[in-house]
Amino acid sequence: MRIALLTYSTKPRGGVVHTLALAEALVDLGHDVTVGTLGRGGDQVFFRAVDPRVRLQVVPFPDLPGPETVGDRIVRSIGALRDGLDLTGFDVVHAQDCISSNACEGAIRTVHHLDTFSTAQLVACHDRAVREPASLVCVSESVAREVLDAYGRPATVIPNGVDAARFAAAAGDDDAAVAARARWTDRLGRYVLAVGGIEPRKGTVDLLRAYDLVRSRGRDDVALVLAGGETLFDYKPYRAEFDAVVADRGIPVTELGVVDDPSLPALVAAAAAFSFVSTKEGFGLAALEALAAGVPVVARDLPVLREVFGDTVRYAADVDGIAGALDAALDDPGTVRAGRALAASYSWPAAAAAHVALYDALLERSGGAPVGRVRSAPLPI
């Protein structure tokens, strides 16, 4: 089967991580897979090495010389993908986000989570990318219920996989793993880690205020470390709020920016605790990677995270609760066996097999006609 998986970036964002892992698992099953994406800022390759059996279509997407609004950037992204992708000869086209979904029609779309936007172009992009695809996939039952309630559309639930062995190995006792963790702790000391950048959906300001409470209780020897990649969206007001809290309270924060992929498992495994206090999530891949490394996780008390994590993490609903859960995790990591077992139970081969079953069913329904194609005409946003 010839499969095209589409994503909006080459940078290390959750949907991009998902796309690459799924592509590699599908080629392991013997399928011919191409990943199509935008090469933002001159990128020609992804943030990590990709299995050479996976073909790549990287559509150039240069930065403009002058200012560009978020809405205009969204429209330009959709147009660039629509005009630059060659989807000739594919049996299945599967978009992983609203931008790539808007660049094609009659395709499959994975809805990782539903979002709320105020920018008109983003609202339209998000809405069309749920209403129009031929079939929807969700990575959790909770998100599938949200989609059904909001749009009246059923979705096939296929959980993410987790590269649990990679993160478990980073927590191992062999000399290389110990040295890799030591490089982080020598630099950062004991630390609480959050991955995903500073943005409203990640609940970063809540984490910052909770960390300030933790410090005020005598834990000024524990650092707050933030790692994260690019986003298309303009979070300047939220960033300004974050900076204002830092300045007002004198909170020390270490921002690592994008961490190269080979170094990430050791960074996670060396953490004293992992914060995952997003206000919206679809699955929680980063937190499961932390569980695989034996790191205690503090998570926002959301139905989707209760569904995925069960009782393997500590939950909190607000700033005070996050602070209390972090205190508890730093005092007592608890048993790591259940978290490691949970992470290992989600595999990319299983996710790939479930996708193939869906693709086969859709192709049978279409009588063998291709599922998905580039849009025949641009649609105004």
Side-chain angles (χ1 to χ4, degrees):
M1 188 186 308
R2 290 199 66 201
I3 303 164
L5 300 181
L6 308 182
T7 187
Y8 72 100
S9 177
T10 55
K11 309 294 186 183
R13 302 293 291 179
V16 182
V17 171
H18 168 105
T19 304
L20 297 182
L22 176 59
E24 290 168 335
L26 287 167
V27 297
D28 282 342
L29 294 178
H31 299 285
D32 185 336
V33 181
T34 295
V35 173
T37 189
L38 288 174
R40 299 185 180 279
D43 282 357
Q44 297 181 357
V45 295
F46 280 93
F47 69 94
R48 69 164 177 85
V50 181
D51 188 315
R53 295 174 297 171
V54 176
R55 305 172 196 268
L56 302 179
Q57 284 191 35
V58 181
V59 177
F61 190 77
D63 294 329
L64 296 183
E68 183 178 33
T69 67
V70 173
D72 288 344
R73 189 169 174 83
I74 294 299
V75 173
R76 188 163 67 92
S77 297
I78 294 168
L81 262 184
R82 173 190 171 271
D83 296 339
L85 287 173
D86 180 4
L87 300 181
T88 306
F90 287 100
D91 300 301
V92 168
V93 177
H94 187 165
Q96 298 292 331
D97 50 76
C98 79
I99 289 173
S100 60
S101 181
N102 273 266
C104 54
E105 57 190 354
I108 304 163
R109 160 82 198 286
T110 292
V111 182
H112 293 272
H113 60 269
L114 291 178
D115 255 318
T116 303
F117 297 112
S118 57
T119 302
Q121 295 93 331
L122 266 173
V123 172
C125 176
H126 179 272
D127 187 67
R128 182 186 295 132
V130 182
R131 294 191 185 280
E132 290 192 2
S135 182
L136 301 178
V137 174
C138 290
V139 293
S140 62
E141 293 283 357
S142 296
V143 174
R145 284 193 295 271
E146 289 181 35
V147 170
L148 184 62
D149 291 344
Y151 291 90
R153 295 203 62 184
T156 301
V157 176
I158 305 177
N160 277 323
V162 179
D163 193 353
R166 182 175 179 234
F167 286 82
D173 296 329
D174 61 279
D175 291 346
V178 171
R181 295 196 302 275
R183 284 192 287 274
W184 286 114
T185 53
D186 289 348
R187 172 182 171 185
L188 302 169
R190 194 171 187 228
Y191 59 91
V192 172
L193 176 66
V195 174
I198 298 170
E199 57 184 78
R201 187 174 69 84
K202 294 299 181 181
T204 322
V205 170
D206 280 356
L207 170 60
L208 180 66
R209 294 185 184 278
Y211 171 71
D212 187 38
L213 288 176
V214 171
R215 286 181 70 246
S216 71
R217 297 166 185 167
R219 291 193 185 273
D220 54 4
D221 61 330
V222 178
L224 176 60
V225 177
L226 306 178
E230 79 148 16
T231 176
L232 281 177
F233 312 136
D234 185 0
Y235 294 136
K236 288 180 182 177
Y238 191 80
R239 175 70 205 218
E241 179 185 358
F242 178 91
D243 290 341
V245 175
V246 168
D248 179 59
R249 299 291 300 168
I251 306 171
V253 180
T254 300
E255 296 181 47
L256 299 176
V258 176
V259 175
D260 65 275
D261 191 61
S263 301
L264 181 63
L267 173 69
V268 173
F274 190 89
S275 172
F276 197 74
V277 296
S278 304
T279 59
K280 290 180 180 290
E281 281 293 344
F283 183 75
L285 181 57
L288 280 161
E289 291 169 343
L291 290 176
V295 177
V297 170
V298 173
R300 182 83 65 171
D301 196 353
L302 303 176
V304 61
L305 300 186
R306 290 272 184 180
E307 173 193 336
V308 175
F309 300 147
D311 59 1
T312 65
V313 306
R314 290 178 170 89
Y315 294 99
D318 55 22
V319 169
D320 286 341
I322 295 168
L326 285 173
D327 263 332
L330 291 167
D331 282 335
D332 178 16
T335 178
V336 301
R337 186 176 304 166
R340 281 182 163 153
L342 176 67
S345 72
Y346 292 107
S347 79
W348 285 113
H355 278 84
V356 170
L358 172 63
Y359 300 159
D360 283 338
L362 292 173
L363 286 168
E364 182 177 359
R365 187 186 310 168
S366 73
V371 177
R373 57 199 169 275
V374 169
R375 286 196 182 273
S376 57
L379 293 179
I381 295 292

